[in-house]
Amino acid sequence: MKNNTNSFLFFVLIVCFFFLGNEKIIGQNSTDSIPYYVDKVQNFKTVEELKRAKVFFEAKLETTKVDDPYVLYFKYNLASIEKNMGDYIEAENLLVSILKEIDLLPNSNYKTQYQRSVLNLLGNIYREQKNQEKAIELYDRALEKARSAQDSAIIFNNKSNIYRDFEEIQKAKQELLSAYHLFPRFKDTLEQARILDNLGFIYTKLDSTALGLKFIKKGLKLRQEVGTNTEIFASYQKLMKYYKNQKNDSLSKLYADKAYDLSLKIKTPDVREKALGMLIEFNIDPKVREYKKLSDSLYRIKSFESNKYAMLQYDSSKKFESAILKEKLEKKKQERKALIYAFLGGFIFVISILLIILQRNRNKRHTIEQVHKTERNFSKKVHDELGNDIFYLMNQLQMNPASLLEKEGMQILNDLNGIYEKARDISKRYTSIHTDKGYHDELLSLLNSYGSETTKIVTKEVTSDFWDAVSKLKKEQVYRVLQELLTNMKKHSKATLVGVTFTKIKKQIIIKYVDNGKGATREQLSVKNGLGNVENRIEEMNGTITFDTSPDNGFKAEIRFIQ
């Protein structure tokens, strides 16, 4: 009897592929062409048709190169023939060999269609041997490969058969309804007939006898239109069981006889066995019935035990291959991760370089701006502090040159000395600072330069390595801060005594400045430009500075920072 092994679309696809590569075949007679024998395999009427198809495909297999892809197609048809003739062992061996060869092919729709068809036919073989678990597993695997509505409908129908065989009627009904709902999406008459036939039989099991009989007869009508004996035999089988369940032995016997007559035309062992099995149902001898039941059980056990290894061994090898593949995929995954990390690392490195270049350019621009600003400040300071004083003296001398010889001459000399001191202060403010081993001497030189006959600068000696651990930037800032404080003292405080001390506690540098000048209020202190610069410089060093001053009580400052 024909089982639902393949969709019409699959065979059309394969045959088209074959025809495109073998134009010679198209011109052959219909009785010597591949489509002719494919039709006999799928819709045979007698066992003789199957035998002739077997001879044809075996000849094709012998004359075709081993690496030709059509070898798989010929093997598949031979497997279908062996299955229809009842040789499940040979059929399964052929199908498993096809699966092994398919595994070597690159992924494509062609490969997927082959896998679906082979898995579906294997499911049918295991169903015939009453191995429900394996049959359902194979059908589910085939369903994953389905690419059309008809493919899916075929597999749903086959799953329902195995559920029905084990009296799981509700599950069988659900699978058939899934197939039935796909009718608008495909037009294969025989496939629709099979689904209607099976769905009708399920409804009779669920006490919907009128609806069930309607579906079974509709399926029989479609099969009779096509005229395929194995399909009509299946409908007779359902009707025999239906009327048997309805206690209508006469009609049940009628369809059993029709099935038997048809089996004589088909002549395959399994169809003949099923036809005789139906007739035995009407034998009242309990010993005959017991013999048939026991014979069926022994046959299924023997067939299952002898046949179960091929697919199971294939699945075991596939699991092993899957484990190896998983390991390879994991390795590739790790390699991809490493590649991604390397790419990200390289990307971050490039970005970092670009940022460094941009920052350097920004710093360079800032430095240039600062140089220009310094030049402007220097120019302004020279103009404001020196230019005006020099212009005043020149003007005096032009008006009264003889004043140099009079008592005013001493005043002019004092004014010139003041201009010199201002020029020296400006020079020190804008000249570079030596921050190497001679830094301490340079710092002392700065302090001493602000001393005079009226102002005494006092400091405490420190060790020669006191400033070694201090960074160049902080040394420069300390120099400028002290310069600002001393300049502020010179301009505003009129101090006569200034003390500066340097101490170190662990890594903290402490600088204390004190003078006995006139001091200032907090408001006066905040508006003094020089002291504002001092606070900014100390902040840049991540240090602190505190001021202690009030009118007529001198001025104190304490600076702390980490070397």
Side-chain angles (χ1 to χ4, degrees), residues 364-421:
K364 187 176 180 180
R365 287 195 300 272
H366 179 71
T367 301
I368 293 171
E369 289 173 1
Q370 288 298 108
V371 169
H372 291 166
K373 183 179 178 182
T374 301
E375 289 174 348
R376 288 194 298 271
N377 290 339
F378 181 78
S379 175
K380 185 176 184 299
K381 202 167 189 68
V382 169
H383 178 272
D384 293 346
E385 296 188 16
L386 299 180
N388 291 339
D389 290 348
I390 293 171
F391 178 79
Y392 172 74
L393 285 175
M394 289 175 63
N395 193 43
Q396 268 192 322
L397 290 172
Q398 285 176 350
M399 290 178 64
N400 186 13
S403 62
L404 283 172
L405 302 175
E406 299 174 359
K407 61 179 180 179
E408 288 86 359
M410 186 57 67
Q411 181 62 41
I412 290 173
L413 288 175
N414 289 336
D415 289 344
L416 284 172
N417 187 61
I419 291 171
Y420 165 74
E421 288 181 352

Short mmCIF file of all heavy atoms in Angstrom, two decimals, residues 364-421:
data_model
loop_
_atom_site.label_atom_id
_atom_site.label_comp_id
_atom_site.label_asym_id
_atom_site.label_seq_id
_atom_site.Cartn_x
_atom_site.Cartn_y
_atom_site.Cartn_z
N LYS A 364 49.40 72.86 21.94
CA LYS A 364 50.30 73.72 21.19
C LYS A 364 49.65 75.07 20.92
O LYS A 364 50.27 76.13 21.07
CB LYS A 364 50.68 73.03 19.87
CG LYS A 364 51.75 73.76 19.08
CD LYS A 364 52.12 72.96 17.85
CE LYS A 364 53.20 73.69 17.04
NZ LYS A 364 53.58 72.93 15.83
N ARG A 365 48.37 75.01 20.49
CA ARG A 365 47.64 76.25 20.25
C ARG A 365 47.51 77.06 21.54
O ARG A 365 47.65 78.29 21.54
CB ARG A 365 46.25 75.94 19.68
CG ARG A 365 46.26 75.47 18.24
CD ARG A 365 44.86 75.54 17.63
NE ARG A 365 43.90 74.72 18.35
CZ ARG A 365 43.69 73.44 18.08
NH1 ARG A 365 44.38 72.84 17.10
NH2 ARG A 365 42.80 72.75 18.76
N HIS A 366 47.23 76.32 22.63
CA HIS A 366 47.10 76.99 23.93
C HIS A 366 48.42 77.65 24.32
O HIS A 366 48.44 78.79 24.82
CB HIS A 366 46.68 75.98 24.99
CG HIS A 366 46.55 76.57 26.36
ND1 HIS A 366 45.53 77.43 26.70
CD2 HIS A 366 47.34 76.43 27.48
CE1 HIS A 366 45.68 77.81 27.97
NE2 HIS A 366 46.77 77.20 28.46
N THR A 367 49.51 76.91 24.08
CA THR A 367 50.84 77.46 24.40
C THR A 367 51.13 78.71 23.59
O THR A 367 51.63 79.71 24.12
CB THR A 367 51.92 76.39 24.13
OG1 THR A 367 51.65 75.24 24.91
CG2 THR A 367 53.30 76.92 24.48
N ILE A 368 50.79 78.63 22.30
CA ILE A 368 51.00 79.79 21.44
C ILE A 368 50.17 80.97 21.92
O ILE A 368 50.64 82.12 21.98
CB ILE A 368 50.66 79.45 19.98
CG1 ILE A 368 51.67 78.43 19.44
CG2 ILE A 368 50.64 80.70 19.10
CD1 ILE A 368 51.30 77.85 18.08
N GLU A 369 48.91 80.66 22.29
CA GLU A 369 48.04 81.72 22.81
C GLU A 369 48.61 82.33 24.09
O GLU A 369 48.56 83.55 24.30
CB GLU A 369 46.64 81.16 23.07
CG GLU A 369 45.87 80.85 21.79
CD GLU A 369 44.55 80.12 22.08
OE1 GLU A 369 44.26 79.89 23.27
OE2 GLU A 369 43.84 79.79 21.11
N GLN A 370 49.15 81.43 24.96
CA GLN A 370 49.74 81.91 26.20
C GLN A 370 50.97 82.77 25.93
O GLN A 370 51.19 83.79 26.60
CB GLN A 370 50.13 80.72 27.09
CG GLN A 370 48.94 79.99 27.71
CD GLN A 370 48.14 80.91 28.62
OE1 GLN A 370 47.04 81.30 28.27
NE2 GLN A 370 48.71 81.27 29.76
N VAL A 371 51.77 82.34 24.93
CA VAL A 371 52.94 83.14 24.56
C VAL A 371 52.52 84.52 24.09
O VAL A 371 53.09 85.55 24.50
CB VAL A 371 53.77 82.42 23.48
CG1 VAL A 371 54.82 83.35 22.88
CG2 VAL A 371 54.42 81.17 24.05
N HIS A 372 51.47 84.52 23.23
CA HIS A 372 50.97 85.81 22.74
C HIS A 372 50.42 86.65 23.88
O HIS A 372 50.63 87.88 23.92
CB HIS A 372 49.88 85.58 21.68
CG HIS A 372 50.41 85.01 20.41
ND1 HIS A 372 49.59 84.46 19.44
CD2 HIS A 372 51.67 84.88 19.94
CE1 HIS A 372 50.32 84.03 18.43
NE2 HIS A 372 51.61 84.28 18.72
N LYS A 373 49.72 85.97 24.79
CA LYS A 373 49.17 86.69 25.94
C LYS A 373 50.29 87.26 26.79
O LYS A 373 50.23 88.41 27.26
CB LYS A 373 48.30 85.74 26.75
CG LYS A 373 47.62 86.42 27.94
CD LYS A 373 46.75 85.43 28.69
CE LYS A 373 46.11 86.11 29.91
NZ LYS A 373 45.29 85.14 30.68
N THR A 374 51.33 86.43 27.00
CA THR A 374 52.48 86.88 27.79
C THR A 374 53.16 88.06 27.12
O THR A 374 53.55 89.05 27.78
CB THR A 374 53.49 85.73 27.97
OG1 THR A 374 52.84 84.65 28.63
CG2 THR A 374 54.69 86.17 28.80
N GLU A 375 53.29 87.96 25.80
CA GLU A 375 53.91 89.06 25.07
C GLU A 375 53.10 90.34 25.22
O GLU A 375 53.65 91.43 25.40
CB GLU A 375 54.04 88.69 23.59
CG GLU A 375 55.11 87.62 23.32
CD GLU A 375 55.11 87.17 21.87
OE1 GLU A 375 54.15 87.51 21.14
OE2 GLU A 375 56.08 86.49 21.47
N ARG A 376 51.75 90.18 25.16
CA ARG A 376 50.89 91.36 25.32
C ARG A 376 51.02 91.95 26.73
O ARG A 376 51.09 93.17 26.91
CB ARG A 376 49.43 90.99 25.03
CG ARG A 376 49.15 90.74 23.55
CD ARG A 376 47.65 90.70 23.28
NE ARG A 376 46.99 89.62 24.00
CZ ARG A 376 46.84 88.39 23.53
NH1 ARG A 376 47.34 88.08 22.31
NH2 ARG A 376 46.22 87.46 24.23
N ASN A 377 51.02 91.01 27.71
CA ASN A 377 51.17 91.47 29.10
C ASN A 377 52.53 92.16 29.30
O ASN A 377 52.64 93.19 29.99
CB ASN A 377 51.06 90.30 30.07
CG ASN A 377 49.64 89.76 30.13
OD1 ASN A 377 48.70 90.47 29.77
ND2 ASN A 377 49.49 88.51 30.59
N PHE A 378 53.56 91.54 28.73
CA PHE A 378 54.91 92.10 28.85
C PHE A 378 54.97 93.50 28.22
O PHE A 378 55.50 94.45 28.79
CB PHE A 378 55.91 91.16 28.16
CG PHE A 378 57.33 91.63 28.23
CD1 PHE A 378 58.06 91.47 29.40
CD2 PHE A 378 57.93 92.25 27.15
CE1 PHE A 378 59.37 91.90 29.48
CE2 PHE A 378 59.24 92.69 27.22
CZ PHE A 378 59.97 92.51 28.39
N SER A 379 54.37 93.59 27.04
CA SER A 379 54.34 94.87 26.33
C SER A 379 53.59 95.92 27.14
O SER A 379 54.04 97.06 27.27
CB SER A 379 53.70 94.68 24.96
OG SER A 379 53.57 95.93 24.31
N LYS A 380 52.45 95.50 27.69
CA LYS A 380 51.64 96.44 28.48
C LYS A 380 52.38 96.87 29.74
O LYS A 380 52.37 98.05 30.13
CB LYS A 380 50.32 95.76 28.86
CG LYS A 380 49.33 96.67 29.57
CD LYS A 380 48.03 95.93 29.80
CE LYS A 380 46.98 96.85 30.42
NZ LYS A 380 47.39 97.37 31.73
N LYS A 381 53.02 95.88 30.38
CA LYS A 381 53.73 96.17 31.62
C LYS A 381 54.91 97.11 31.37
O LYS A 381 55.16 98.06 32.12
CB LYS A 381 54.23 94.87 32.26
CG LYS A 381 54.50 94.99 33.75
CD LYS A 381 54.68 93.62 34.34
CE LYS A 381 54.74 93.68 35.86
NZ LYS A 381 53.47 94.07 36.48
N VAL A 382 55.65 96.85 30.30
CA VAL A 382 56.77 97.74 29.94
C VAL A 382 56.25 99.14 29.67
O VAL A 382 56.83 100.15 30.10
CB VAL A 382 57.53 97.19 28.72
CG1 VAL A 382 58.52 98.22 28.17
CG2 VAL A 382 58.27 95.91 29.10
N HIS A 383 55.11 99.19 28.92
CA HIS A 383 54.53 100.49 28.60
C HIS A 383 54.04 101.21 29.84
O HIS A 383 54.32 102.39 30.05
CB HIS A 383 53.38 100.31 27.59
CG HIS A 383 52.69 101.59 27.24
ND1 HIS A 383 51.63 102.09 27.96
CD2 HIS A 383 52.93 102.51 26.23
CE1 HIS A 383 51.23 103.22 27.44
NE2 HIS A 383 52.01 103.50 26.37
N ASP A 384 53.29 100.47 30.68
CA ASP A 384 52.66 101.10 31.84
C ASP A 384 53.67 101.46 32.93
O ASP A 384 53.62 102.56 33.51
CB ASP A 384 51.59 100.20 32.43
CG ASP A 384 50.41 100.04 31.49
OD1 ASP A 384 50.32 100.83 30.52
OD2 ASP A 384 49.58 99.10 31.70
N GLU A 385 54.57 100.51 33.22
CA GLU A 385 55.44 100.68 34.37
C GLU A 385 56.77 101.36 34.04
O GLU A 385 57.36 102.04 34.89
CB GLU A 385 55.71 99.34 35.03
CG GLU A 385 54.46 98.71 35.60
CD GLU A 385 54.75 97.46 36.42
OE1 GLU A 385 55.92 97.27 36.80
OE2 GLU A 385 53.81 96.70 36.68
N LEU A 386 57.27 101.15 32.86
CA LEU A 386 58.56 101.73 32.50
C LEU A 386 58.42 102.92 31.56
O LEU A 386 59.08 103.95 31.71
CB LEU A 386 59.47 100.68 31.85
CG LEU A 386 59.81 99.46 32.73
CD1 LEU A 386 60.72 98.52 31.95
CD2 LEU A 386 60.48 99.88 34.03
N GLY A 387 57.57 102.75 30.58
CA GLY A 387 57.44 103.79 29.56
C GLY A 387 57.03 105.14 30.14
O GLY A 387 57.61 106.18 29.80
N ASN A 388 56.04 105.11 31.00
CA ASN A 388 55.55 106.36 31.59
C ASN A 388 56.63 107.03 32.44
O ASN A 388 56.82 108.26 32.40
CB ASN A 388 54.31 106.12 32.44
CG ASN A 388 53.11 105.73 31.58
OD1 ASN A 388 53.09 106.03 30.38
ND2 ASN A 388 52.11 105.09 32.18
N ASP A 389 57.35 106.17 33.26
CA ASP A 389 58.40 106.75 34.13
C ASP A 389 59.53 107.35 33.29
O ASP A 389 60.04 108.45 33.59
CB ASP A 389 58.97 105.67 35.05
CG ASP A 389 57.96 105.23 36.11
OD1 ASP A 389 56.93 105.93 36.25
OD2 ASP A 389 58.21 104.19 36.77
N ILE A 390 59.95 106.63 32.23
CA ILE A 390 61.04 107.12 31.37
C ILE A 390 60.61 108.40 30.65
O ILE A 390 61.38 109.37 30.54
CB ILE A 390 61.46 106.03 30.37
CG1 ILE A 390 62.12 104.85 31.11
CG2 ILE A 390 62.40 106.59 29.30
CD1 ILE A 390 62.38 103.65 30.24
N PHE A 391 59.34 108.41 30.17
CA PHE A 391 58.83 109.60 29.48
C PHE A 391 58.82 110.81 30.42
O PHE A 391 59.19 111.92 30.04
CB PHE A 391 57.42 109.33 28.95
CG PHE A 391 56.80 110.51 28.27
CD1 PHE A 391 57.15 110.84 26.96
CD2 PHE A 391 55.89 111.34 28.94
CE1 PHE A 391 56.59 111.94 26.34
CE2 PHE A 391 55.35 112.44 28.31
CZ PHE A 391 55.69 112.75 27.00
N TYR A 392 58.44 110.55 31.69
CA TYR A 392 58.39 111.64 32.68
C TYR A 392 59.79 112.21 32.90
O TYR A 392 60.01 113.44 32.91
CB TYR A 392 57.82 111.12 34.00
CG TYR A 392 57.90 112.10 35.14
CD1 TYR A 392 57.03 113.21 35.19
CD2 TYR A 392 58.85 111.94 36.14
CE1 TYR A 392 57.13 114.12 36.23
CE2 TYR A 392 58.95 112.85 37.18
CZ TYR A 392 58.08 113.94 37.22
OH TYR A 392 58.18 114.83 38.26
N LEU A 393 60.82 111.34 33.07
CA LEU A 393 62.19 111.80 33.29
C LEU A 393 62.72 112.55 32.07
O LEU A 393 63.40 113.58 32.19
CB LEU A 393 63.10 110.61 33.60
CG LEU A 393 62.97 110.02 35.01
CD1 LEU A 393 63.84 108.77 35.13
CD2 LEU A 393 63.36 111.05 36.06
N MET A 394 62.45 111.98 30.86
CA MET A 394 62.91 112.64 29.64
C MET A 394 62.29 114.03 29.51
O MET A 394 62.95 114.99 29.09
CB MET A 394 62.54 111.79 28.41
CG MET A 394 63.35 110.51 28.28
SD MET A 394 62.76 109.49 26.92
CE MET A 394 63.10 110.61 25.56
N ASN A 395 61.05 114.13 29.87
CA ASN A 395 60.35 115.41 29.78
C ASN A 395 60.97 116.44 30.73
O ASN A 395 61.16 117.61 30.40
CB ASN A 395 58.87 115.22 30.09
CG ASN A 395 58.04 116.44 29.69
OD1 ASN A 395 58.25 117.02 28.62
ND2 ASN A 395 57.13 116.85 30.56
N GLN A 396 61.33 115.94 31.94
CA GLN A 396 61.97 116.82 32.92
C GLN A 396 63.31 117.34 32.42
O GLN A 396 63.64 118.52 32.53
CB GLN A 396 62.19 116.06 34.25
CG GLN A 396 61.05 116.21 35.23
CD GLN A 396 61.44 115.69 36.62
OE1 GLN A 396 62.12 114.68 36.73
NE2 GLN A 396 61.01 116.41 37.65
N LEU A 397 64.09 116.40 31.88
CA LEU A 397 65.42 116.76 31.39
C LEU A 397 65.35 117.72 30.21
O LEU A 397 66.18 118.63 30.05
CB LEU A 397 66.21 115.51 31.01
CG LEU A 397 66.64 114.62 32.18
CD1 LEU A 397 67.23 113.32 31.68
CD2 LEU A 397 67.66 115.38 33.05
N GLN A 398 64.34 117.54 29.34
CA GLN A 398 64.20 118.43 28.18
C GLN A 398 63.82 119.85 28.63
O GLN A 398 64.27 120.85 28.05
CB GLN A 398 63.14 117.88 27.22
CG GLN A 398 63.62 116.67 26.42
CD GLN A 398 62.51 116.08 25.56
OE1 GLN A 398 61.34 116.45 25.71
NE2 GLN A 398 62.89 115.17 24.69
N MET A 399 63.02 119.90 29.64
CA MET A 399 62.57 121.21 30.12
C MET A 399 63.68 121.92 30.89
O MET A 399 63.84 123.15 30.83
CB MET A 399 61.34 121.05 31.04
CG MET A 399 60.10 120.63 30.29
SD MET A 399 58.70 120.39 31.43
CE MET A 399 58.53 122.08 32.03
N ASN A 400 64.54 121.11 31.63
CA ASN A 400 65.58 121.74 32.47
C ASN A 400 66.79 120.84 32.52
O ASN A 400 67.00 120.11 33.49
CB ASN A 400 65.04 121.99 33.88
CG ASN A 400 66.02 122.76 34.74
OD1 ASN A 400 67.00 123.33 34.23
ND2 ASN A 400 65.76 122.79 36.04
N PRO A 401 67.62 120.81 31.45
CA PRO A 401 68.79 119.94 31.41
C PRO A 401 69.75 120.22 32.55
O PRO A 401 70.44 119.34 33.02
CB PRO A 401 69.44 120.28 30.06
CG PRO A 401 68.36 120.90 29.25
CD PRO A 401 67.47 121.61 30.21
N ALA A 402 69.77 121.47 33.06
CA ALA A 402 70.73 121.81 34.12
C ALA A 402 70.35 121.19 35.45
O ALA A 402 71.13 121.21 36.41
CB ALA A 402 70.81 123.34 34.26
N SER A 403 69.15 120.60 35.49
CA SER A 403 68.70 120.02 36.77
C SER A 403 69.58 118.86 37.21
O SER A 403 69.62 118.53 38.38
CB SER A 403 67.25 119.56 36.66
OG SER A 403 67.14 118.54 35.67
N LEU A 404 70.27 118.21 36.27
CA LEU A 404 71.16 117.09 36.62
C LEU A 404 72.28 117.57 37.53
O LEU A 404 72.86 116.79 38.30
CB LEU A 404 71.75 116.45 35.36
CG LEU A 404 70.82 115.52 34.57
CD1 LEU A 404 71.48 115.14 33.25
CD2 LEU A 404 70.50 114.29 35.40
N LEU A 405 72.64 118.88 37.43
CA LEU A 405 73.74 119.43 38.22
C LEU A 405 73.25 120.09 39.50
O LEU A 405 74.04 120.56 40.31
CB LEU A 405 74.54 120.45 37.38
CG LEU A 405 75.12 119.89 36.08
CD1 LEU A 405 75.78 121.03 35.29
CD2 LEU A 405 76.13 118.81 36.37
N GLU A 406 71.95 120.15 39.61
CA GLU A 406 71.38 120.79 40.81
C GLU A 406 70.91 119.70 41.77
O GLU A 406 71.10 118.50 41.56
CB GLU A 406 70.24 121.71 40.38
CG GLU A 406 70.70 122.83 39.44
CD GLU A 406 69.53 123.65 38.90
OE1 GLU A 406 68.37 123.32 39.26
OE2 GLU A 406 69.77 124.57 38.10
N LYS A 407 70.21 120.17 42.81
CA LYS A 407 69.77 119.23 43.84
C LYS A 407 68.76 118.22 43.32
O LYS A 407 68.61 117.13 43.83
CB LYS A 407 69.19 119.99 45.02
CG LYS A 407 67.97 120.84 44.66
CD LYS A 407 67.44 121.55 45.91
CE LYS A 407 66.21 122.41 45.54
NZ LYS A 407 65.67 123.10 46.74
N GLU A 408 68.02 118.55 42.23
CA GLU A 408 67.05 117.61 41.66
C GLU A 408 67.75 116.42 41.03
O GLU A 408 67.14 115.38 40.76
CB GLU A 408 66.19 118.31 40.60
CG GLU A 408 65.18 119.29 41.14
CD GLU A 408 65.79 120.67 41.33
OE1 GLU A 408 67.00 120.82 41.04
OE2 GLU A 408 65.06 121.58 41.76
N GLY A 409 69.03 116.55 40.77
CA GLY A 409 69.75 115.45 40.11
C GLY A 409 69.71 114.17 40.90
O GLY A 409 69.59 113.07 40.33
N MET A 410 69.83 114.25 42.22
CA MET A 410 69.77 113.04 43.07
C MET A 410 68.41 112.36 42.94
O MET A 410 68.33 111.13 42.90
CB MET A 410 70.06 113.42 44.52
CG MET A 410 70.15 112.21 45.44
SD MET A 410 71.42 111.02 44.89
CE MET A 410 72.90 112.03 45.18
N GLN A 411 67.35 113.13 42.86
CA GLN A 411 66.01 112.56 42.73
C GLN A 411 65.87 111.82 41.40
O GLN A 411 65.29 110.74 41.32
CB GLN A 411 64.95 113.67 42.82
CG GLN A 411 63.52 113.16 42.73
CD GLN A 411 63.17 112.21 43.86
OE1 GLN A 411 63.57 112.46 45.01
NE2 GLN A 411 62.48 111.12 43.55
N ILE A 412 66.46 112.41 40.36
CA ILE A 412 66.39 111.77 39.04
C ILE A 412 67.15 110.45 39.06
O ILE A 412 66.71 109.44 38.49
CB ILE A 412 66.96 112.72 37.97
CG1 ILE A 412 66.01 113.91 37.77
CG2 ILE A 412 67.16 111.98 36.65
CD1 ILE A 412 66.54 114.99 36.86
N LEU A 413 68.29 110.45 39.74
CA LEU A 413 69.06 109.20 39.84
C LEU A 413 68.27 108.13 40.59
O LEU A 413 68.27 106.96 40.23
CB LEU A 413 70.39 109.45 40.54
CG LEU A 413 71.42 110.23 39.73
CD1 LEU A 413 72.65 110.52 40.60
CD2 LEU A 413 71.83 109.45 38.49
N ASN A 414 67.58 108.53 41.64
CA ASN A 414 66.73 107.57 42.39
C ASN A 414 65.61 107.04 41.52
O ASN A 414 65.26 105.85 41.57
CB ASN A 414 66.16 108.24 43.64
CG ASN A 414 67.22 108.48 44.71
OD1 ASN A 414 68.25 107.79 44.74
ND2 ASN A 414 67.00 109.48 45.57
N ASP A 415 65.05 107.97 40.71
CA ASP A 415 63.97 107.52 39.81
C ASP A 415 64.50 106.52 38.78
O ASP A 415 63.84 105.53 38.44
CB ASP A 415 63.36 108.72 39.10
CG ASP A 415 62.53 109.59 40.05
OD1 ASP A 415 62.18 109.07 41.15
OD2 ASP A 415 62.23 110.73 39.69
N LEU A 416 65.72 106.80 38.27
CA LEU A 416 66.32 105.87 37.31
C LEU A 416 66.58 104.52 37.96
O LEU A 416 66.40 103.46 37.34
CB LEU A 416 67.63 106.46 36.76
CG LEU A 416 67.49 107.57 35.73
CD1 LEU A 416 68.86 108.18 35.42
CD2 LEU A 416 66.85 107.02 34.46
N ASN A 417 67.00 104.52 39.22
CA ASN A 417 67.22 103.25 39.94
C ASN A 417 65.90 102.49 40.11
O ASN A 417 65.85 101.27 40.00
CB ASN A 417 67.84 103.54 41.30
CG ASN A 417 68.25 102.25 42.01
OD1 ASN A 417 69.07 101.49 41.51
ND2 ASN A 417 67.64 101.97 43.17
N GLY A 418 64.83 103.23 40.37
CA GLY A 418 63.51 102.58 40.48
C GLY A 418 63.09 101.94 39.17
O GLY A 418 62.52 100.84 39.13
N ILE A 419 63.38 102.66 38.05
CA ILE A 419 63.06 102.10 36.73
C ILE A 419 63.87 100.84 36.49
O ILE A 419 63.37 99.84 35.94
CB ILE A 419 63.33 103.16 35.64
CG1 ILE A 419 62.32 104.31 35.75
CG2 ILE A 419 63.26 102.52 34.25
CD1 ILE A 419 62.64 105.50 34.86
N TYR A 420 65.14 100.88 36.91
CA TYR A 420 65.98 99.68 36.75
C TYR A 420 65.40 98.49 37.51
O TYR A 420 65.34 97.37 37.00
CB TYR A 420 67.39 99.98 37.24
CG TYR A 420 68.21 98.73 37.45
CD1 TYR A 420 68.72 98.01 36.36
CD2 TYR A 420 68.45 98.24 38.75
CE1 TYR A 420 69.44 96.84 36.57
CE2 TYR A 420 69.17 97.08 38.95
CZ TYR A 420 69.67 96.38 37.86
OH TYR A 420 70.37 95.21 38.06
N GLU A 421 64.97 98.73 38.76
CA GLU A 421 64.42 97.64 39.57
C GLU A 421 63.15 97.08 38.93
O GLU A 421 62.91 95.86 38.94
CB GLU A 421 64.13 98.14 40.98
CG GLU A 421 65.39 98.39 41.80
CD GLU A 421 65.07 98.87 43.21
OE1 GLU A 421 63.87 99.15 43.48
OE2 GLU A 421 66.00 98.97 44.02
#
